[in-house]
Amino acid sequence: MKKWFALYSNILYLHFSEQYYNLPESAKNASSPQNPLKRLFRIVGYTVLRLLGNIFQSVEKPGVLTAKVWLYVVSQNNVDSLRFVQKHLPGSIFVAGQSKNIGRYHENVARLSLRRKVLYYYKLPSLLFQFLRHNRKSTLRFLDLLFDAVGFYEVYYRKLRQYRPSAVVFANDHNADARAMLLAAGSLGIKTVYIQHASVSTLFPPLSFDLNLLEGQDSLDKYRQCGAISGRVELVGMPKADLYIPYRNTSTSIRTIGIGCNVMDELDEIEKLLQVLSAGFPDLAIILRPHPRDNRNFARLSAIGSNIRLSDSRAVATFDYLRQVDAQVSATSGIHLEAVLLNVWSIFYDFSPNHKIEDYYGFVRHGLVDVAATPEDIVRLLLMHRYTKPAVLDRAKYYCATVGTPYDGRSAELSAFYLKSFLSL
């Protein structure tokens, strides 16, 4: 039982940490519903639709999976971040768990059968006892995450041993299924590679991949705070941004404002800012972009003014949205860095004033963004810089190692060089 607890504590490292538990509920709700009944319904739904539903589906194609480089993905964003690997490593394949939602790439990912996952739930009572004993409050709050995690390691260990991929490349280092795959690969001596796909936090697990390709010094500094780093580290910039470097914003005036919001942001606060901006700048275009996982009704917000329109984040890539704007407003979000990489002026504005997440990514502390505390502050900043839009690209150097170097716009090429060298290809 102690070995099981140690294994699953590692798999659930982020969500069962003290720091994660102390985050505002608005942040935690993205992973696990705050309402206990909703968590129970989630467990019941998972049992019926996933555990039992997977038993009756055949999804694996052994000929596709055997002896390949696996690009293990848990989201649409992961695929976007690793697509360049397929280009540079022909024959590498995207792989995901049986029912994992991969957005618009859902049908283009090889699947690993999770039929056998249900067989390992005999471990749940022992695991639940151990987790309650060591971390009662997190266990009660995130029981659905523990329930979901059971069996991933055991199934993935069998799949890795069966198909023997030459390596597994990850874009996520903290989701339970991704960590289960990482630990299983490590147990079998299969090479593992991590390619950072988004801004990171000091809450993340310590790096434990054989090769770690990070965006810049900021990421390395944060991971050093997470714990001892295993494996080789290289700073390669942001490969997914390469195609958009030629489209960096060169405008000296502001014609279009973007508002990128996420599931932690309060609709009333977004509405308040939209009303002020739409009335104060009727001749400027405003694009409201909700997060892909945000299912709230934003249509009513777009009706606030005729100069407001929605950007569909499920269909429009983040950088394509950023190409349309000159200034961008968001709260705690990695979109700030992506904006600055395109020389789009980005402003931090807290849309959750009652549930503060203090500079989660350090963007304010290191001067990547400007800060506004009220809608009136944003109006003042826009009036001050409407015809003298700040050039902000150099602010990204600490976060993106290739900015201002010969590899600016060639991060994928640099990453592929390190990857091929590591894999001896």
Side-chain angles (χ1 to χ4, degrees):
M1 288 200 308
K2 290 183 179 179
K3 288 185 178 180
W4 295 351
F5 175 71
L7 172 66
Y8 277 91
S9 293
N10 195 333
I11 289 171
L12 292 162
Y13 183 99
L14 171 65
H15 296 105
F16 277 69
S17 68
E18 184 74 16
Q19 298 94 323
Y20 192 84
Y21 182 85
N22 290 328
L23 288 177
E25 284 296 338
S26 58
K28 295 183 289 192
N29 195 59
S31 301
S32 172
Q34 180 179 0
N35 188 308
L37 281 178
K38 289 185 178 180
R39 292 201 294 273
L40 178 60
F41 289 145
R42 188 180 182 195
I43 290 173
V44 172
Y46 182 85
T47 302
V48 174
L49 298 176
R50 296 284 184 89
L51 282 183
L52 301 180
N54 286 345
I55 295 174
F56 304 101
Q57 298 181 46
S58 176
V59 296
E60 278 184 5
K61 297 178 180 179
V64 173
L65 291 164
T66 302
K68 302 287 181 59
V69 173
W70 287 6
L71 312 178
Y72 184 79
V73 293
V74 299
S75 70
Q76 176 178 294
N77 285 341
N78 279 193
V79 176
D80 286 333
S81 299
L82 296 182
R83 288 174 69 183
F84 80 94
V85 178
Q86 270 199 324
K87 176 182 176 181
H88 290 274
L89 296 182
S92 57
I93 59 168
F94 286 108
V95 176
Q98 183 165 347
S99 302
K100 197 72 174 182
N101 182 7
I102 312 297
R104 63 177 176 270
Y105 302 113
H106 196 74
E107 304 301 323
N108 306 113
V109 176
R111 299 290 176 166
L112 296 174
S113 173
L114 292 172
R115 284 177 171 178
R116 298 182 64 90
K117 194 171 183 287
V118 69
L119 300 179
Y120 299 99
Y121 272 79
Y122 72 89
K123 297 183 177 183
L124 181 59
S126 297
L127 284 170
L128 183 56
F129 173 79
Q130 290 288 336
F131 271 91
L132 284 170
R133 179 183 171 193
H134 289 88
N135 193 345
R136 182 177 180 83
K137 59 184 182 181
S138 289
T139 303
L140 294 174
R141 175 61 183 85
F142 300 115
L143 178 60
D144 53 329
L145 299 183
L146 172 60
F147 186 88
D148 182 21
V150 173
F152 272 125
Y153 174 86
E154 294 82 357
V155 171
Y156 283 165
Y157 185 93
R158 291 175 60 91
K159 297 303 177 184
L160 288 165
R161 191 171 59 181
Q162 177 181 358
Y163 296 119
R164 298 303 304 189
S166 53
V168 184
V169 181
F170 299 80
N172 181 290
D173 69 335
H174 56 271
N175 277 25
D177 47 349
R179 291 200 62 74
M181 176 66 79
L182 166 64
L183 296 172
S187 297
L188 291 167
I190 294 171
K191 294 179 178 180
T192 57
V193 180
Y194 172 56
I195 299 177
Q196 182 186 338
H197 93 282
S199 296
V200 301
S201 147
T202 55
L203 273 65
F204 284 12
L207 279 181
S208 52
F209 301 81
D210 298 314
L211 175 64
N212 306 277
L213 302 181
L214 304 182
E215 291 177 358
Q217 190 63 43
D218 168 73
S219 301
L220 180 56
D221 289 346
K222 285 174 179 172
Y223 274 119
R224 282 173 173 161
Q225 295 180 58
C226 295
I229 295 175
S230 300
R232 176 181 168 190
V233 175
E234 300 291 351
L235 305 183
V236 297
M238 189 185 293
K240 67 181 180 181
D242 284 356
L243 293 176
Y244 296 91
I245 299 307
Y247 303 103
R248 279 180 173 147
N249 191 298
T250 58
S251 175
T252 56
S253 62
I254 298 171
R255 295 160 295 183
T256 304
I257 306 165
I259 298 178
C261 50
N262 60 44
V263 294
M264 295 178 285
D265 298 335
E266 297 174 15
L267 285 181
D268 289 346
E269 294 297 321
I270 299 170
E271 181 176 8
K272 187 188 305 182
L273 178 61
L274 284 171
Q275 288 173 340
V276 170
L277 292 181
S278 181
F281 300 93
D283 55 332
L284 294 185
I286 301 173
I287 302 177
L288 176 62
R289 181 180 173 86
H291 190 277
R293 290 187 300 174
D294 199 332
N295 296 314
R296 293 176 293 180
N297 179 18
F298 287 88
R300 68 177 181 86
L301 298 186
S302 64
I304 289 174
S306 59
N307 57 337
I308 301 173
R309 65 183 175 88
L310 288 176
S311 173
D312 183 356
S313 55
R314 294 182 179 90
V316 180
T318 302
F319 283 108
D320 286 322
Y321 150 71
L322 291 170
R323 285 178 58 186
Q324 303 173 58
V325 304
D326 303 302
Q328 206 276 146
V329 180
S330 288
T332 300
S333 173
I335 201 171
H336 287 298
L337 175 57
E338 294 166 330
V340 174
L341 280 174
L342 290 196
N343 200 35
V344 171
W345 182 32
S346 204
I347 302 169
F348 179 90
Y349 181 82
D350 190 358
F351 288 111
S352 302
N354 298 318
H355 305 283
K356 288 187 178 296
I357 302 177
E358 298 293 343
D359 200 16
Y360 185 76
Y361 295 117
F363 292 156
V364 175
R365 183 167 63 256
H366 293 291
L368 183 78
V369 296
D370 288 288
V371 181
T374 66
E376 291 70 30
D377 284 345
I378 293 184
V379 169
R380 177 180 54 79
L381 285 172
L382 290 173
L383 288 173
M384 186 183 306
H385 295 291
R386 181 170 179 180
Y387 301 107
T388 56
K389 183 183 76 68
V392 294
L393 176 60
D394 283 349
R395 300 183 185 184
K397 287 182 176 180
Y398 175 59
Y399 295 88
C400 184
T402 54
V403 170
T405 76
Y407 279 101
D408 194 10
R410 298 167 58 198
S411 289
E413 180 184 335
L414 183 60
S415 301
F417 169 79
Y418 289 125
L419 187 56
K420 289 179 178 179
S421 175
F422 172 70
L423 298 176
S424 300
L425 298 176

